[in-house]
Amino acid sequence: MRISEIRDEVSQGLLDFAWRQWSQIGVSATVEETDRWTVDPEALILFTIGIGRRDPRLFDEMLDWMAFNHELLSMQRLRNLAGRFPLPPGLVAAVTTWTRQTVPTNLLVSDQASPVQDSEPVFSPDVLAFVSQPDPVFAQHGFNRPPAARTGKSREPNPALPVNLSFRLRHLFGPGGRSETMRVLLTYSDGPLDAARIADEAGFAKRNISDVLASLTASGVIKAAWAGNERHFTAYRERWALLLGLAGPADMPSFVSWVHLLPAALEIIMWLDEKADTAESDYLIASQARSLINRLTRDLEAADIDIQHQQPAHGAAYLPVFAEISNALLARLRTAR
Amino acid sequence: MEITDKTINLLLGALADQLRVLGSHVEIVVIGGSALTALGLVRRATRDVDLLAIAENGELHLAEPLPQALLAARAAVASDFGLAENWLNPGPVDALRVLGVVDADLGD
C-alpha cells in the first residue's frame, strides 16, 4: 500500500470520527450514529484544530460550537493540553481569542483586516487555495483565512447521549478538575487509579488533582484505598449510575484515553501528509515510520492500541506494519458504538 | 537480521540512505569477514562489520571515533533491521594503534 493511499484512508477516517463526535455534542451535521464513550471536549477541540485544517466547514462549525457553548469549556485545560498536540501555538491562541469575542445573536462576521504578509494558511491549499480578505483575529496570530463567521447552528449537548456525560458533569461541578476527575473515575472500569494517572487523563497538575481527590473522598462520592505507599481511587459507580438515571454501572459510557489517542492520531496524519508525495526510498519512509511509531508507543498503548503485537519487520517491510497500526488506530475510533 | 552476503549490501545501502537524509557523505573502509562477505567471497554470516578507516574530503583517517552522522545512521539501521547497536564498529582500529599505526600512515 502506498503512503498516499494510507494518508487518504487515515485522513477520511479521522474526519469521519471528528464529524461524528461534533454531531453528537451539538454541531449541526447529518451523522446519526452514537458512540458508547464520552467525549473529552478540550482534546476534541485541539484535535479538530489540526484535522479541521483540511475541512473548513468542520473547523468553522467547531468555532460556532465553542462560541455557543463556551461556558462548558475550560480554557485552562485547553492550554494545559495544547502542548501535547502537534499544533502551532498561534493557531490555538487564534481559536480561543476568536471564540472569546462576544458575538451575541446577530452572527457578525469579524471585522475585515488587511492582507498579512508571511502568514501561514489555516487551511490546506487543497481545500482553500485563495484568501482575498483575511480574518483579523487569525491574522493577529500569524494565520491567514477568510473572515470567520458564526454559523448559528450549534446547540447545547444533549444530556441523554452517552458522549455528553462530560458535559453533564460540567453542569454539576463546573468545567475543571472535579468534573474531569469524575469523568475519568466513572468511565474507567478496569479498577482503581492513582492520582498521577487521573491527573494525566484529566489534564490538570497532579497537585490540583490530589486536592480534588482528597475532597471528593471526604465527601463520600469516591473511595480511596492504599496500595503500597500510594492511594488508589474508585468511584461508587452504582450510586452514580442511579444519580445519572442510568440502568446500572454497565450503562456508564466507556473510557477512552483521548489525551493520548488524539495527539497520536494527529501526529500520524501530519507525518503522512509530509511523506505522501516524497521521492524518498521505501526503506527510508519505513525507517521514519518506525521512528514515529516508536515515539508514539506510549500514547498508542495508553489508548489500547497494541503495537507490540505486530510482527517484527525489517527495513521496508515495516510499511505494511505501519499500515496495520494506522488501521488499528482508525478501528479504535470506530469502536464502542 | 543476520549479516550475510545476501543482506550486507542492503544494510550498507540503508546506511547510505540514512546518511543522505542527515546531509552527510561518508566513505568507509571495511576489513575482515564482513569485507569478504560484501565481495561475495565468503557466504557465512558475520556478527558485525569491521571498519578500519573513513575517507573524508579525499583523505583517509582511522575510523575511531566514528563521526556523529555515522553514529546516528548506524543507530537507525540497527533499529530498522533488528541489529546490535554496534553492528558497524571500528574494532580493528585498536589493533592498529597497538601496532603504532596513526592517521598519517593511512595515506601511504
Side-chain angles (χ1 to χ4, degrees), chain B residues 58-91:
Chain B
E59 286 193 11
L60 279 179
H61 57 83
L62 291 173
E64 194 173 44
L66 295 178
Q68 283 302 317
L70 190 56
L71 287 170
R74 178 181 76 167
V77 174
S79 166
D80 291 338
F81 292 92
L83 299 168
E85 199 177 323
N86 65 343
W87 67 276
L88 180 86
N89 64 72

Short mmCIF file of all heavy atoms in Angstrom, two decimals, chain B residues 58-91:
data_model
loop_
_atom_site.label_atom_id
_atom_site.label_comp_id
_atom_site.label_asym_id
_atom_site.label_seq_id
_atom_site.Cartn_x
_atom_site.Cartn_y
_atom_site.Cartn_z
N GLY B 58 38.54 13.24 0.57
CA GLY B 58 39.64 12.59 -0.15
C GLY B 58 40.77 12.11 0.74
O GLY B 58 41.78 11.60 0.25
N GLU B 59 40.63 12.25 2.05
CA GLU B 59 41.70 11.80 2.95
C GLU B 59 41.21 10.70 3.86
O GLU B 59 40.12 10.78 4.43
CB GLU B 59 42.18 12.98 3.80
CG GLU B 59 43.03 13.95 3.01
CD GLU B 59 43.76 14.93 3.91
OE1 GLU B 59 43.76 14.71 5.15
OE2 GLU B 59 44.30 15.91 3.38
N LEU B 60 42.06 9.71 4.02
CA LEU B 60 41.72 8.59 4.90
C LEU B 60 42.17 8.90 6.32
O LEU B 60 43.23 9.48 6.53
CB LEU B 60 42.45 7.32 4.45
CG LEU B 60 41.87 6.50 3.30
CD1 LEU B 60 42.77 5.32 3.02
CD2 LEU B 60 40.47 6.02 3.65
N HIS B 61 41.32 8.53 7.28
CA HIS B 61 41.81 8.54 8.67
C HIS B 61 41.19 7.38 9.42
O HIS B 61 40.20 6.78 8.97
CB HIS B 61 41.56 9.88 9.35
CG HIS B 61 40.13 10.30 9.35
ND1 HIS B 61 39.24 9.88 10.27
CD2 HIS B 61 39.45 11.12 8.50
CE1 HIS B 61 38.06 10.41 10.01
NE2 HIS B 61 38.15 11.16 8.95
N LEU B 62 41.78 7.05 10.51
CA LEU B 62 41.30 5.90 11.28
C LEU B 62 39.84 6.10 11.67
O LEU B 62 39.39 7.24 11.91
CB LEU B 62 42.17 5.70 12.53
CG LEU B 62 43.61 5.22 12.25
CD1 LEU B 62 44.44 5.20 13.53
CD2 LEU B 62 43.61 3.82 11.62
N ALA B 63 39.14 4.99 11.78
CA ALA B 63 37.67 5.05 11.94
C ALA B 63 37.22 5.32 13.37
O ALA B 63 36.04 5.18 13.66
CB ALA B 63 37.06 3.76 11.43
N GLU B 64 38.12 5.67 14.22
CA GLU B 64 37.72 5.95 15.58
C GLU B 64 38.21 7.34 16.00
O GLU B 64 39.39 7.64 15.79
CB GLU B 64 38.30 4.92 16.55
CG GLU B 64 37.66 4.96 17.91
CD GLU B 64 38.12 3.82 18.80
OE1 GLU B 64 39.35 3.56 18.82
OE2 GLU B 64 37.28 3.21 19.45
N PRO B 65 37.33 8.18 16.54
CA PRO B 65 35.90 7.93 16.82
C PRO B 65 35.07 8.02 15.54
O PRO B 65 35.43 8.74 14.61
CB PRO B 65 35.55 9.05 17.78
CG PRO B 65 36.46 10.18 17.41
CD PRO B 65 37.75 9.53 16.96
N LEU B 66 33.93 7.35 15.54
CA LEU B 66 33.04 7.43 14.39
C LEU B 66 32.39 8.81 14.36
O LEU B 66 32.03 9.35 15.41
CB LEU B 66 31.95 6.36 14.48
CG LEU B 66 32.40 4.90 14.38
CD1 LEU B 66 31.20 3.97 14.54
CD2 LEU B 66 33.10 4.63 13.07
N PRO B 67 32.22 9.40 13.18
CA PRO B 67 31.55 10.71 13.09
C PRO B 67 30.11 10.61 13.61
O PRO B 67 29.48 9.56 13.51
CB PRO B 67 31.56 11.02 11.59
CG PRO B 67 32.50 10.06 10.96
CD PRO B 67 32.62 8.88 11.87
N GLN B 68 29.63 11.74 14.13
CA GLN B 68 28.27 11.77 14.71
C GLN B 68 27.22 11.30 13.72
O GLN B 68 26.30 10.55 14.08
CB GLN B 68 27.93 13.20 15.18
CG GLN B 68 28.58 13.60 16.49
CD GLN B 68 28.21 12.65 17.64
OE1 GLN B 68 27.05 12.25 17.78
NE2 GLN B 68 29.19 12.25 18.43
N ALA B 69 27.35 11.75 12.47
CA ALA B 69 26.34 11.37 11.46
C ALA B 69 26.34 9.86 11.25
O ALA B 69 25.28 9.24 11.11
CB ALA B 69 26.61 12.09 10.15
N LEU B 70 27.54 9.27 11.25
CA LEU B 70 27.62 7.82 11.05
C LEU B 70 27.03 7.09 12.25
O LEU B 70 26.36 6.05 12.10
CB LEU B 70 29.08 7.41 10.81
CG LEU B 70 29.32 5.97 10.35
CD1 LEU B 70 28.54 5.65 9.08
CD2 LEU B 70 30.81 5.72 10.13
N LEU B 71 27.24 7.63 13.45
CA LEU B 71 26.65 7.01 14.65
C LEU B 71 25.13 7.03 14.57
O LEU B 71 24.46 6.04 14.88
CB LEU B 71 27.12 7.74 15.91
CG LEU B 71 28.58 7.51 16.31
CD1 LEU B 71 28.99 8.48 17.42
CD2 LEU B 71 28.79 6.07 16.76
N ALA B 72 24.59 8.19 14.14
CA ALA B 72 23.13 8.31 14.04
C ALA B 72 22.57 7.37 12.97
O ALA B 72 21.55 6.70 13.18
CB ALA B 72 22.75 9.76 13.75
N ALA B 73 23.26 7.32 11.84
CA ALA B 73 22.80 6.44 10.75
C ALA B 73 22.89 4.98 11.18
O ALA B 73 21.99 4.18 10.90
CB ALA B 73 23.65 6.71 9.50
N ARG B 74 23.96 4.63 11.87
CA ARG B 74 24.14 3.26 12.35
C ARG B 74 23.00 2.87 13.30
O ARG B 74 22.45 1.77 13.22
CB ARG B 74 25.48 3.14 13.07
CG ARG B 74 25.75 1.79 13.65
CD ARG B 74 27.08 1.73 14.38
NE ARG B 74 27.02 2.38 15.70
CZ ARG B 74 27.95 2.27 16.64
NH1 ARG B 74 29.04 1.57 16.40
NH2 ARG B 74 27.83 2.88 17.81
N ALA B 75 22.65 3.79 14.19
CA ALA B 75 21.58 3.50 15.16
C ALA B 75 20.24 3.29 14.44
O ALA B 75 19.47 2.39 14.78
CB ALA B 75 21.47 4.64 16.16
N ALA B 76 19.99 4.11 13.42
CA ALA B 76 18.72 3.98 12.69
C ALA B 76 18.66 2.63 11.97
O ALA B 76 17.64 1.93 12.01
CB ALA B 76 18.57 5.13 11.69
N VAL B 77 19.76 2.25 11.34
CA VAL B 77 19.78 0.98 10.61
C VAL B 77 19.65 -0.18 11.60
O VAL B 77 18.95 -1.18 11.33
CB VAL B 77 21.06 0.86 9.75
CG1 VAL B 77 21.17 -0.52 9.12
CG2 VAL B 77 21.07 1.93 8.66
N ALA B 78 20.31 -0.07 12.75
CA ALA B 78 20.20 -1.13 13.78
C ALA B 78 18.74 -1.32 14.18
O ALA B 78 18.24 -2.44 14.28
CB ALA B 78 21.05 -0.77 14.98
N SER B 79 18.05 -0.21 14.40
CA SER B 79 16.65 -0.28 14.80
C SER B 79 15.79 -0.85 13.67
O SER B 79 14.89 -1.67 13.89
CB SER B 79 16.17 1.12 15.19
OG SER B 79 14.78 1.16 15.27
N ASP B 80 16.09 -0.45 12.44
CA ASP B 80 15.25 -0.87 11.30
C ASP B 80 15.42 -2.36 10.97
O ASP B 80 14.51 -2.97 10.41
CB ASP B 80 15.61 -0.04 10.06
CG ASP B 80 15.17 1.40 10.21
OD1 ASP B 80 14.27 1.66 11.01
OD2 ASP B 80 15.76 2.27 9.53
N PHE B 81 16.60 -2.90 11.28
CA PHE B 81 16.86 -4.29 10.86
C PHE B 81 17.10 -5.23 12.04
O PHE B 81 17.53 -6.37 11.84
CB PHE B 81 18.04 -4.34 9.89
CG PHE B 81 17.74 -3.69 8.57
CD1 PHE B 81 18.02 -2.34 8.34
CD2 PHE B 81 17.13 -4.41 7.55
CE1 PHE B 81 17.72 -1.74 7.13
CE2 PHE B 81 16.84 -3.82 6.33
CZ PHE B 81 17.12 -2.47 6.12
N GLY B 82 16.83 -4.75 13.24
CA GLY B 82 16.98 -5.61 14.42
C GLY B 82 18.41 -6.06 14.65
O GLY B 82 18.66 -7.21 15.02
N LEU B 83 19.36 -5.15 14.42
CA LEU B 83 20.78 -5.48 14.60
C LEU B 83 21.27 -4.97 15.95
O LEU B 83 20.66 -4.08 16.55
CB LEU B 83 21.61 -4.82 13.50
CG LEU B 83 21.28 -5.21 12.05
CD1 LEU B 83 21.98 -4.27 11.09
CD2 LEU B 83 21.71 -6.65 11.79
N ALA B 84 22.41 -5.51 16.38
CA ALA B 84 23.04 -4.98 17.60
C ALA B 84 23.42 -3.52 17.35
O ALA B 84 23.72 -3.14 16.20
CB ALA B 84 24.28 -5.78 17.93
N GLU B 85 23.42 -2.74 18.42
CA GLU B 85 23.68 -1.30 18.27
C GLU B 85 25.03 -1.03 17.60
O GLU B 85 25.19 -0.10 16.84
CB GLU B 85 23.62 -0.65 19.65
CG GLU B 85 23.42 0.85 19.60
CD GLU B 85 23.30 1.43 20.98
OE1 GLU B 85 22.71 0.77 21.86
OE2 GLU B 85 23.81 2.53 21.19
N ASN B 86 26.02 -1.90 17.90
CA ASN B 86 27.37 -1.67 17.35
C ASN B 86 27.66 -2.61 16.18
O ASN B 86 28.78 -3.08 16.02
CB ASN B 86 28.42 -1.83 18.45
CG ASN B 86 28.47 -3.26 18.95
OD1 ASN B 86 27.53 -4.02 18.73
ND2 ASN B 86 29.55 -3.63 19.62
N TRP B 87 26.64 -2.85 15.37
CA TRP B 87 26.81 -3.78 14.24
C TRP B 87 27.90 -3.29 13.28
O TRP B 87 28.52 -4.09 12.58
CB TRP B 87 25.50 -3.98 13.48
CG TRP B 87 25.01 -2.74 12.76
CD1 TRP B 87 24.28 -1.73 13.28
CD2 TRP B 87 25.23 -2.40 11.38
NE1 TRP B 87 24.04 -0.77 12.34
CE2 TRP B 87 24.60 -1.17 11.15
CE3 TRP B 87 25.88 -3.02 10.32
CZ2 TRP B 87 24.61 -0.52 9.92
CZ3 TRP B 87 25.90 -2.38 9.08
CH2 TRP B 87 25.26 -1.15 8.89
N LEU B 88 28.13 -2.01 13.28
CA LEU B 88 29.18 -1.40 12.46
C LEU B 88 30.12 -0.74 13.46
O LEU B 88 29.69 0.18 14.18
CB LEU B 88 28.54 -0.36 11.54
CG LEU B 88 29.43 0.41 10.60
CD1 LEU B 88 29.64 -0.37 9.30
CD2 LEU B 88 28.80 1.76 10.25
N ASN B 89 31.37 -1.22 13.54
CA ASN B 89 32.21 -0.67 14.61
C ASN B 89 33.67 -0.58 14.18
O ASN B 89 34.11 -1.29 13.28
CB ASN B 89 32.07 -1.53 15.87
CG ASN B 89 32.58 -2.94 15.64
OD1 ASN B 89 33.79 -3.15 15.55
ND2 ASN B 89 31.66 -3.89 15.52
N PRO B 90 34.39 0.30 14.87
CA PRO B 90 35.80 0.49 14.49
C PRO B 90 36.73 -0.43 15.29
O PRO B 90 37.84 -0.02 15.66
CB PRO B 90 36.03 1.96 14.86
CG PRO B 90 35.13 2.20 16.03
CD PRO B 90 33.96 1.26 15.91
N GLY B 91 36.29 -1.65 15.55
CA GLY B 91 37.08 -2.60 16.35
C GLY B 91 38.52 -2.75 15.90
O GLY B 91 39.43 -2.73 16.73
#
